[in-house]
Amino acid sequence: MNGDVYTVDEDQPWARAIIITGNTITAVLADESEAEDYIGPDTRVVDLEGGLALPGFIDTHVHFAGFAAQQHDIMLMNVDSDDGLLEELRRVVPLVGDGEWITGGDWSGAIQWLAGTGELNTERPPQRWEPDRFAIDDLTGNNPCFLNSYDRELYLANTAALEAAGLADAALEGMQLEGGIPTGLIYRGSPAIDRIRGVIKPKSEERILNEYRTGLEVLAEMGIVEIHDMIRSFTQVERFVKLQESGELTARVWVRPWLDLSEEMFQRDLTMGVHPQTLERDYFLRYGGFKSANDGFLGSRGAMLFEPYTDRPDYKGHYQEYNSDAAQPGSLVGNPEVFYQYCKAAVEHGFSVDSHAIGDRGISEVIDVLERIQQDLDADMSMFRIIHAEIVQPREFERMKALNLIAETNPSQIADDMRWLENRLGPEREKLAFPFRTFIDKGIVMNFGSDVPGNAGAIFFNHPKYVLNAAVNRTNNEGEPTGGWQPHLKITIEEAIRAFTLYGAYACMGEDSVRGTIRPGKLADITVIDRNIVNNPDDLLDMEIEMTIVDGRIVFER
């Protein structure tokens, strides 16, 4: 109480107090003086202090294992100096545990993703930073390190890693030497790289669980009450079960297996909506639809386009293995029957399929197959999603609406893509990018995801202030450009909040009936922020999360 409540409930959009009993919203009051009737000796009273309570944010596109690892793994994308490397190692070494390997890093990745061009600078500058093991040995001690540059041209092994591979005194081709002694810097193509990779020990299970715990803490601090995760193995699901049993799972999880796992899912008699262990309908931890990748990315020119890339007139993108006869992604030859058979088997076993499709041709070809599925099986397609849906030709909106498909979009990626999309697409196709306004105007259900953690060239952001700001103001994380990029596609703050709350719940087999708004009888997932962003959307980038409530439980408070 003592603040504003934006409910996202059309029957009562605004209120002044919320009453929660157990995990359920008991009452939503327009007059907070009425709250006194509900306050007993054991009641916790939360003073909003003039802030805003609204339904909890639902991130519908997360690679949680990678996001969680990012919290503890070394992150060097903004590092190109010994000082930066040492600073990051001081953060990471105490987190990983004695003897654990520290790998990766992608040093200079974000720095080399050149502003305005969308190009990775793969030419090695004359004064390129070349670190050595002697700068980091004192800090890393018993933790073997094998780090890499963003382009995998350079690798750095500390003494512990070289010793583990029997290379501390070796002089293999591609190893940098000073006075005949390896410095730890290794160049692409060196046989030393495979030697070291061959002795890297996988992360301990406790280390991975600690990453998950920290990842969940970060989500709670950002007001995120649910994630829709993509999984490559059932081991990932088992970790969620373990954390739930110990009371440490502080966000709802909708688990989406990649299509690779579909046959095993069928054999296990698993289906959408059921808990991985109890196999009963669950609203906290449960399986969702399958995840498919149908084309590539705009940044790498993999997204499939009808017309060639403006900056590469000989190329129109490529297919992924899920809609090609090729066993690996990147085929130039597609076969829609491959994707059709995947979708047909999914529907026959009670699943939907959520399809990564970014380019206009990639999206169109996905819709072609889904139309066939609907006609051939008389299937309800309302839980099928098109993921990303970045470049959409006008004719496709009506087709999406006719099938009741969901558009799962990633607003915060605008911050990166706006810098180079005109280069890729030209000025006319650029006007089609991230068409949030059109989705809403055409009556298509749209929800928001972040796609964290990102890739070797860009860090993706999942804090709600960046997601909402990109959708509403169409600016980057610094509020630029003035007036917004492609402002004709802006949406209102009310529409953005709905996409980030109610429609995330809807996409989980219609769970908007039990959560996603603040309404009596619904599950209590609530985020409290420090200001009324509905009345003042220009303040989005300054908002702070004050409290996060998941299933009636306070999982974060500032």
Side-chain angles (χ1 to χ4, degrees):
M1 56 192 297
N2 191 30
D4 293 317
V5 177
Y6 183 61
T7 68
V8 193
D9 182 352
E10 293 181 353
D11 294 335
Q12 185 186 3
W14 290 97
R16 292 290 298 178
I18 311 166
I19 313 300
I20 300 170
T21 307
N23 69 344
T24 305
I25 298 169
T26 304
V28 181
L29 307 175
D31 184 348
E32 63 190 17
S33 66
E34 298 174 11
E36 299 297 330
D37 296 338
Y38 296 88
I39 298 174
D42 298 321
T43 303
R44 167 79 188 267
V45 178
V46 176
D47 188 344
L48 293 175
E49 298 180 348
L52 177 71
L54 69 170
F57 296 118
I58 298 172
D59 189 332
T60 63
H61 194 108
V62 173
H63 300 270
F64 182 75
F67 170 73
Q70 187 183 64
Q71 312 309 313
H72 286 191
D73 280 353
I74 194 161
M75 169 61 74
L76 301 174
M77 290 172 62
N78 288 307
V79 171
D80 62 355
S81 69
D82 284 355
D83 287 344
L85 174 58
L86 292 172
E87 180 181 357
E88 180 64 359
L89 282 169
R90 290 188 189 100
R91 181 188 73 85
V92 170
V93 170
L95 297 174
V96 299
D98 186 54
E100 294 276 345
W101 280 73
I102 299 172
T103 59
D106 294 327
W107 76 69
S108 301
I111 295 170
Q112 295 292 335
W113 185 251
L114 301 179
T117 66
E119 293 288 355
L120 282 169
N121 183 3
T122 55
E123 295 183 5
R124 189 172 164 206
Q127 301 300 318
R128 185 174 190 172
W129 173 55
E130 297 187 344
D132 65 53
R133 60 169 160 149
F134 307 111
I136 67 174
D137 272 349
D138 288 345
L139 262 180
T140 54
N142 193 38
N143 291 106
C145 293
F146 190 51
L147 313 177
N148 58 263
S149 63
Y150 73 94
D151 54 6
R152 308 304 195 270
E153 288 290 331
L154 297 176
Y155 294 80
L156 175 64
N158 69 350
T159 297
L162 292 176
E163 289 177 345
L167 295 173
D169 301 312
L172 301 183
E173 182 181 355
M175 295 177 67
Q176 186 188 73
L177 306 176
E178 284 188 6
I181 300 173
T183 66
L185 193 73
I186 305 171
Y187 297 95
R188 180 200 288 270
S190 171
I193 295 171
D194 287 337
R195 283 271 295 273
I196 297 173
R197 283 176 175 160
V199 299
I200 293 176
K201 293 182 179 179
K203 293 179 179 180
S204 66
E205 184 64 17
E206 187 57 28
R207 176 179 173 184
I208 296 173
L209 284 172
N210 283 335
E211 292 174 351
Y212 275 46
R213 292 179 180 109
T214 301
L216 289 165
E217 289 174 6
V218 174
L219 292 176
E221 291 168 3
M222 292 190 290
I224 294 172
V225 302
E226 176 172 83
I227 56 172
H228 297 183
D229 189 22
M230 269 68 69
I231 65 152
R232 290 286 190 182
S233 75
F234 291 101
T235 303
Q236 294 173 251
V237 186
E238 291 165 5
R239 293 183 183 122
F240 285 131
V241 171
K242 185 176 294 186
L243 291 171
Q244 186 181 35
E245 289 174 343
S246 63
E248 298 174 280
L249 189 61
T250 52
R252 300 182 192 274
V253 183
W254 178 257
V255 181
R256 296 192 287 189
W258 282 78
L259 277 176
D260 302 29
L261 295 175
S262 58
E263 189 59 39
E264 188 171 354
M265 291 285 290
F266 303 154
Q267 292 172 1
R268 293 187 180 200
D269 289 327
L270 297 170
T271 191
M272 288 178 66
V274 303
H275 188 276
Q277 193 170 60
T278 68
L279 304 187
E280 296 179 355
R281 185 71 172 94
D282 196 87
Y283 292 122
F284 207 96
L285 174 61
R286 62 274 197 238
Y287 283 109
F290 292 116
K291 165 71 188 303
S292 170
N294 293 68
D295 65 354
F297 299 91
L298 284 168
S300 60
R301 300 183 187 82
M304 290 174 54
L305 303 175
F306 282 112
E307 300 299 327
Y309 282 88
T310 301
D311 57 354
R312 187 176 168 184
D314 64 328
Y315 202 68
K316 296 182 180 181
H318 62 72
Y319 292 92
Q320 299 282 39
E321 69 270 32
Y322 300 117
N323 59 345
S324 168
D325 290 319
Q328 299 296 324
S331 173
L332 299 180
V333 180
N335 180 359
E337 292 305 312
V338 175
F339 186 52
Y340 175 86
Q341 292 301 326
Y342 270 120
C343 290
K344 182 174 183 290
V347 170
E348 289 172 345
H349 288 85
F351 286 90
S352 61
V353 177
D354 303 336
S355 307
H356 162 123
I358 291 179
D360 54 6
R361 181 175 175 180
I363 292 166
S364 183
E365 292 192 5
V366 166
I367 297 173
D368 288 345
V369 170
L370 298 186
E371 285 179 336
R372 285 180 59 198
I373 291 292
Q374 196 280 326
Q375 293 166 5
D376 293 351
L377 303 181
D378 192 25
D380 178 1
M381 310 299 290
S382 62
M383 290 296 106
F384 279 65
R385 310 185 203 180
I386 295 185
I387 298 172
H388 305 305
E390 290 183 21
I391 310 299
V392 188
Q393 289 293 338
R395 61 182 175 272
E396 310 300 352
F397 294 102
E398 298 300 334
R399 299 173 71 202
M400 289 182 67
K401 176 60 178 174
L403 291 172
N404 290 318
L405 301 179
I406 297 168
E408 180 184 303
T409 63
N410 309 126
S412 55
Q413 292 179 17
I414 285 176
D416 185 54
D417 290 15
M418 70 167 70
R419 300 178 303 145
W420 44 264
L421 264 180
E422 184 176 357
N423 235 33
R424 287 281 187 276
L425 303 174
E428 290 307 309
R429 279 187 300 185
E430 184 190 24
K431 295 175 183 177
L432 305 176
F434 298 92
F436 307 143
R437 176 77 269 145
T438 313
F439 282 133
I440 291 174
D441 289 347
K442 296 294 184 179
I444 295 167
V445 172
M446 175 179 67
N447 56 36
F448 288 165
S450 63
D451 204 5
V452 291
N455 54 51
I459 302 169
F460 294 163
F461 297 92
N462 57 339
H463 195 293
K465 65 183 177 183
Y466 299 129
V467 176
L468 293 171
N469 174 72
V472 174
N473 297 318
R474 304 278 292 199
T475 68
N476 63 19
N477 298 350
E478 287 74 47
E480 299 173 345
T482 301
W485 172 77
Q486 302 298 337
H488 64 288
L489 294 173
K490 289 180 179 180
I491 63 176
T492 68
I493 183 62
E494 293 90 348
E495 291 166 335
I497 292 173
R498 184 173 295 268
F500 210 12
T501 56
L502 178 66
Y503 290 147
Y506 165 80
C508 299
M509 297 175 64
E511 289 184 13
D512 56 316
S513 62
V514 296
R515 57 193 188 84
T517 63
I518 297 175
R519 184 184 180 100
K522 285 197 171 184
L523 297 173
D525 295 347
I526 294 168
T527 299
V528 176
I529 58 181
D530 65 342
R531 65 195 66 207
N532 191 325
I533 57 171
V534 180
N535 292 341
N536 301 287
D538 290 341
D539 287 351
L540 279 168
L541 288 174
D542 297 319
M543 73 180 232
E544 298 286 349
I545 305 299
E546 296 293 334
M547 177 176 285
T548 306
I549 300 170
V550 180
D551 207 41
R553 171 187 171 194
I554 297 174
V555 298
F556 168 75
E557 56 184 319
R558 185 173 298 280

